[in-house]
mmCIF file of all heavy atoms in Angstrom:
data_model
loop_
_atom_site.group_PDB
_atom_site.id
_atom_site.type_symbol
_atom_site.label_atom_id
_atom_site.label_comp_id
_atom_site.label_asym_id
_atom_site.label_seq_id
_atom_site.Cartn_x
_atom_site.Cartn_y
_atom_site.Cartn_z
ATOM 1 N N PRO A 1306 -10.741 -1.813 -2.312
ATOM 2 C CA PRO A 1306 -10.448 -1.795 -0.869
ATOM 3 C C PRO A 1306 -9.259 -2.677 -0.498
ATOM 4 O O PRO A 1306 -8.453 -2.309 0.367
ATOM 5 C CB PRO A 1306 -11.745 -2.307 -0.240
ATOM 6 C CG PRO A 1306 -12.812 -1.941 -1.223
ATOM 7 C CD PRO A 1306 -12.169 -2.118 -2.564
ATOM 8 N N TYR A 1307 -9.138 -3.824 -1.152
ATOM 9 C CA TYR A 1307 -8.011 -4.708 -0.876
ATOM 10 C C TYR A 1307 -6.699 -4.051 -1.318
ATOM 11 O O TYR A 1307 -5.701 -4.062 -0.576
ATOM 12 C CB TYR A 1307 -8.196 -6.049 -1.596
ATOM 13 C CG TYR A 1307 -9.400 -6.821 -1.119
ATOM 14 C CD1 TYR A 1307 -10.615 -6.736 -1.789
ATOM 15 C CD2 TYR A 1307 -9.325 -7.617 0.018
ATOM 16 C CE1 TYR A 1307 -11.732 -7.434 -1.344
ATOM 17 C CE2 TYR A 1307 -10.428 -8.321 0.468
ATOM 18 C CZ TYR A 1307 -11.630 -8.216 -0.213
ATOM 19 O OH TYR A 1307 -12.731 -8.910 0.247
ATOM 20 N N GLU A 1308 -6.689 -3.461 -2.512
ATOM 21 C CA GLU A 1308 -5.487 -2.807 -3.017
ATOM 22 C C GLU A 1308 -5.041 -1.696 -2.071
ATOM 23 O O GLU A 1308 -3.848 -1.535 -1.793
ATOM 24 C CB GLU A 1308 -5.751 -2.248 -4.414
ATOM 25 C CG GLU A 1308 -6.019 -3.324 -5.465
ATOM 26 C CD GLU A 1308 -6.485 -2.748 -6.788
ATOM 27 O OE1 GLU A 1308 -7.090 -1.653 -6.768
ATOM 28 O OE2 GLU A 1308 -6.251 -3.366 -7.836
ATOM 29 N N LEU A 1309 -5.988 -0.926 -1.560
ATOM 30 C CA LEU A 1309 -5.662 0.176 -0.659
ATOM 31 C C LEU A 1309 -5.207 -0.328 0.707
ATOM 32 O O LEU A 1309 -4.250 0.193 1.282
ATOM 33 C CB LEU A 1309 -6.887 1.094 -0.503
ATOM 34 C CG LEU A 1309 -7.306 1.853 -1.765
ATOM 35 C CD1 LEU A 1309 -8.681 2.482 -1.570
ATOM 36 C CD2 LEU A 1309 -6.275 2.924 -2.118
ATOM 37 N N LEU A 1310 -5.869 -1.341 1.220
ATOM 38 C CA LEU A 1310 -5.555 -1.838 2.562
ATOM 39 C C LEU A 1310 -4.259 -2.632 2.592
ATOM 40 O O LEU A 1310 -3.576 -2.657 3.620
ATOM 41 C CB LEU A 1310 -6.711 -2.688 3.084
ATOM 42 C CG LEU A 1310 -7.957 -1.890 3.461
ATOM 43 C CD1 LEU A 1310 -9.169 -2.803 3.587
ATOM 44 C CD2 LEU A 1310 -7.742 -1.119 4.750
ATOM 45 N N PHE A 1311 -3.906 -3.280 1.498
ATOM 46 C CA PHE A 1311 -2.667 -4.062 1.476
ATOM 47 C C PHE A 1311 -1.430 -3.166 1.575
ATOM 48 O O PHE A 1311 -0.333 -3.646 1.841
ATOM 49 C CB PHE A 1311 -2.585 -4.915 0.209
ATOM 50 C CG PHE A 1311 -3.536 -6.077 0.197
ATOM 51 C CD1 PHE A 1311 -3.795 -6.772 -0.971
ATOM 52 C CD2 PHE A 1311 -4.181 -6.483 1.359
ATOM 53 C CE1 PHE A 1311 -4.676 -7.842 -0.990
ATOM 54 C CE2 PHE A 1311 -5.070 -7.554 1.349
ATOM 55 C CZ PHE A 1311 -5.315 -8.230 0.176
ATOM 56 N N ASP A 1312 -1.605 -1.873 1.373
ATOM 57 C CA ASP A 1312 -0.491 -0.941 1.514
ATOM 58 C C ASP A 1312 -0.266 -0.519 2.959
ATOM 59 O O ASP A 1312 0.689 0.183 3.252
ATOM 60 C CB ASP A 1312 -0.733 0.314 0.656
ATOM 61 C CG ASP A 1312 -0.627 0.014 -0.836
ATOM 62 O OD1 ASP A 1312 0.081 -0.942 -1.187
ATOM 63 O OD2 ASP A 1312 -1.266 0.729 -1.622
ATOM 64 N N SER A 1313 -1.165 -0.936 3.865
ATOM 65 C CA SER A 1313 -1.031 -0.568 5.272
ATOM 66 C C SER A 1313 -0.751 -1.822 6.094
ATOM 67 O O SER A 1313 -1.013 -2.944 5.649
ATOM 68 C CB SER A 1313 -2.310 0.108 5.767
ATOM 69 O OG SER A 1313 -3.420 -0.757 5.645
ATOM 70 N N PRO A 1314 -0.208 -1.659 7.308
ATOM 71 C CA PRO A 1314 0.131 -2.837 8.123
ATOM 72 C C PRO A 1314 -1.101 -3.486 8.743
ATOM 73 O O PRO A 1314 -2.175 -2.883 8.805
ATOM 74 C CB PRO A 1314 1.034 -2.245 9.215
ATOM 75 C CG PRO A 1314 0.570 -0.824 9.340
ATOM 76 C CD PRO A 1314 0.172 -0.396 7.959
ATOM 77 N N GLY A 1315 -0.930 -4.715 9.186
ATOM 78 C CA GLY A 1315 -1.978 -5.349 9.974
ATOM 79 C C GLY A 1315 -2.966 -6.183 9.213
ATOM 80 O O GLY A 1315 -4.075 -6.428 9.691
ATOM 81 N N MET A 1316 -2.617 -6.647 8.016
ATOM 82 C CA MET A 1316 -3.525 -7.494 7.260
ATOM 83 C C MET A 1316 -3.347 -8.944 7.713
ATOM 84 O O MET A 1316 -2.433 -9.638 7.268
ATOM 85 C CB MET A 1316 -3.264 -7.377 5.758
ATOM 86 C CG MET A 1316 -3.469 -5.992 5.182
ATOM 87 S SD MET A 1316 -5.117 -5.330 5.462
ATOM 88 C CE MET A 1316 -4.770 -4.122 6.736
ATOM 89 N N ASP A 1317 -4.196 -9.401 8.600
ATOM 90 C CA ASP A 1317 -4.030 -10.731 9.185
ATOM 91 C C ASP A 1317 -4.558 -11.833 8.286
ATOM 92 O O ASP A 1317 -3.901 -12.847 8.078
ATOM 93 C CB ASP A 1317 -4.760 -10.803 10.534
ATOM 94 C CG ASP A 1317 -4.238 -9.794 11.523
ATOM 95 O OD1 ASP A 1317 -3.001 -9.683 11.660
ATOM 96 O OD2 ASP A 1317 -5.053 -9.102 12.157
ATOM 97 N N MET A 1318 -5.763 -11.636 7.771
ATOM 98 C CA MET A 1318 -6.411 -12.662 6.953
ATOM 99 C C MET A 1318 -7.275 -12.011 5.889
ATOM 100 O O MET A 1318 -7.753 -10.887 6.058
ATOM 101 C CB MET A 1318 -7.336 -13.553 7.803
ATOM 102 C CG MET A 1318 -6.671 -14.401 8.834
ATOM 103 S SD MET A 1318 -7.921 -15.475 9.623
ATOM 104 C CE MET A 1318 -6.897 -16.258 10.875
ATOM 105 N N VAL A 1319 -7.484 -12.765 4.820
ATOM 106 C CA VAL A 1319 -8.500 -12.425 3.823
ATOM 107 C C VAL A 1319 -9.420 -13.619 3.704
ATOM 108 O O VAL A 1319 -8.962 -14.751 3.535
ATOM 109 C CB VAL A 1319 -7.874 -12.088 2.457
ATOM 110 C CG1 VAL A 1319 -8.958 -11.976 1.389
ATOM 111 C CG2 VAL A 1319 -7.075 -10.792 2.529
ATOM 112 N N MET A 1320 -10.731 -13.371 3.804
ATOM 113 C CA MET A 1320 -11.721 -14.438 3.669
ATOM 114 C C MET A 1320 -12.256 -14.476 2.242
ATOM 115 O O MET A 1320 -12.506 -13.438 1.629
ATOM 116 C CB MET A 1320 -12.884 -14.242 4.641
ATOM 117 C CG MET A 1320 -13.983 -15.291 4.496
ATOM 118 S SD MET A 1320 -15.368 -15.081 5.638
ATOM 119 C CE MET A 1320 -14.650 -15.768 7.133
ATOM 120 N N THR A 1321 -12.446 -15.686 1.737
ATOM 121 C CA THR A 1321 -12.940 -15.877 0.377
ATOM 122 C C THR A 1321 -14.446 -15.686 0.284
ATOM 123 O O THR A 1321 -15.169 -15.782 1.272
ATOM 124 C CB THR A 1321 -12.613 -17.290 -0.119
ATOM 125 O OG1 THR A 1321 -13.413 -18.241 0.616
ATOM 126 C CG2 THR A 1321 -11.145 -17.627 0.069
ATOM 127 N N ALA A 1322 -14.905 -15.434 -0.934
ATOM 128 C CA ALA A 1322 -16.341 -15.401 -1.235
ATOM 129 C C ALA A 1322 -16.691 -16.648 -2.042
ATOM 130 O O ALA A 1322 -15.926 -17.071 -2.903
ATOM 131 C CB ALA A 1322 -16.691 -14.152 -2.031
ATOM 132 N N HIS A 1323 -17.869 -17.204 -1.794
ATOM 133 C CA HIS A 1323 -18.333 -18.369 -2.560
ATOM 134 C C HIS A 1323 -19.077 -17.927 -3.819
ATOM 135 O O HIS A 1323 -20.084 -18.527 -4.192
ATOM 136 C CB HIS A 1323 -19.279 -19.219 -1.708
ATOM 137 C CG HIS A 1323 -18.658 -19.844 -0.504
ATOM 138 N ND1 HIS A 1323 -17.321 -20.170 -0.403
ATOM 139 C CD2 HIS A 1323 -19.217 -20.223 0.679
ATOM 140 C CE1 HIS A 1323 -17.079 -20.721 0.778
ATOM 141 N NE2 HIS A 1323 -18.203 -20.761 1.448
ATOM 142 N N VAL A 1324 -18.590 -16.884 -4.453
ATOM 143 C CA VAL A 1324 -19.281 -16.378 -5.651
ATOM 144 C C VAL A 1324 -18.607 -16.890 -6.912
ATOM 145 O O VAL A 1324 -17.386 -17.041 -6.970
ATOM 146 C CB VAL A 1324 -19.321 -14.823 -5.655
ATOM 147 C CG1 VAL A 1324 -20.166 -14.308 -4.507
ATOM 148 C CG2 VAL A 1324 -17.917 -14.229 -5.619
ATOM 149 N N PHE A 1325 -19.424 -17.143 -7.919
ATOM 150 C CA PHE A 1325 -18.938 -17.588 -9.221
ATOM 151 C C PHE A 1325 -18.907 -16.406 -10.165
ATOM 152 O O PHE A 1325 -19.869 -15.642 -10.262
ATOM 153 C CB PHE A 1325 -19.852 -18.681 -9.781
ATOM 154 C CG PHE A 1325 -19.486 -19.125 -11.170
ATOM 155 C CD1 PHE A 1325 -18.469 -20.049 -11.373
ATOM 156 C CD2 PHE A 1325 -20.148 -18.607 -12.277
ATOM 157 C CE1 PHE A 1325 -18.120 -20.453 -12.659
ATOM 158 C CE2 PHE A 1325 -19.812 -19.013 -13.563
ATOM 159 C CZ PHE A 1325 -18.793 -19.938 -13.752
ATOM 160 N N ASN A 1326 -17.787 -16.244 -10.865
ATOM 161 C CA ASN A 1326 -17.641 -15.168 -11.843
ATOM 162 C C ASN A 1326 -16.922 -15.729 -13.057
ATOM 163 O O ASN A 1326 -15.702 -15.934 -13.030
ATOM 164 C CB ASN A 1326 -16.852 -14.001 -11.242
ATOM 165 C CG ASN A 1326 -16.798 -12.789 -12.159
ATOM 166 O OD1 ASN A 1326 -17.014 -12.905 -13.362
ATOM 167 N ND2 ASN A 1326 -16.509 -11.629 -11.585
ATOM 168 N N ALA A 1327 -17.673 -16.005 -14.102
ATOM 169 C CA ALA A 1327 -17.101 -16.646 -15.291
ATOM 170 C C ALA A 1327 -16.026 -15.790 -15.946
ATOM 171 O O ALA A 1327 -15.169 -16.308 -16.663
ATOM 172 C CB ALA A 1327 -18.207 -16.950 -16.299
ATOM 173 N N ARG A 1328 -16.033 -14.485 -15.679
ATOM 174 C CA ARG A 1328 -14.995 -13.611 -16.244
ATOM 175 C C ARG A 1328 -13.657 -13.815 -15.536
ATOM 176 O O ARG A 1328 -12.602 -13.511 -16.098
ATOM 177 C CB ARG A 1328 -15.429 -12.158 -16.151
ATOM 178 C CG ARG A 1328 -16.562 -11.789 -17.109
ATOM 179 C CD ARG A 1328 -16.885 -10.316 -17.014
ATOM 180 N NE ARG A 1328 -17.556 -9.990 -15.755
ATOM 181 C CZ ARG A 1328 -17.569 -8.778 -15.215
ATOM 182 N NH1 ARG A 1328 -16.918 -7.779 -15.782
ATOM 183 N NH2 ARG A 1328 -18.239 -8.547 -14.097
ATOM 184 N N LEU A 1329 -13.711 -14.310 -14.300
ATOM 185 C CA LEU A 1329 -12.487 -14.551 -13.542
ATOM 186 C C LEU A 1329 -12.069 -16.011 -13.591
ATOM 187 O O LEU A 1329 -10.888 -16.327 -13.592
ATOM 188 C CB LEU A 1329 -12.672 -14.110 -12.087
ATOM 189 C CG LEU A 1329 -13.081 -12.650 -11.859
ATOM 190 C CD1 LEU A 1329 -13.222 -12.375 -10.366
ATOM 191 C CD2 LEU A 1329 -12.084 -11.699 -12.496
#
């Protein structure tokens, strides 16, 4: 969804998640 939406105008903010992912 982020990849698709970043191609369109109007992206004001992105909010973080407090999730842990050892792969990342």
Side-chain angles (χ1 to χ4, degrees):
Y1307 296 95
E1308 295 171 332
L1309 293 168
L1310 288 164
F1311 288 166
D1312 290 334
S1313 60
M1316 298 303 106
D1317 300 313
M1318 295 185 184
V1319 170
M1320 177 180 281
T1321 69
H1323 296 333
V1324 295
F1325 176 82
N1326 186 340
R1328 289 183 289 157
L1329 303 180

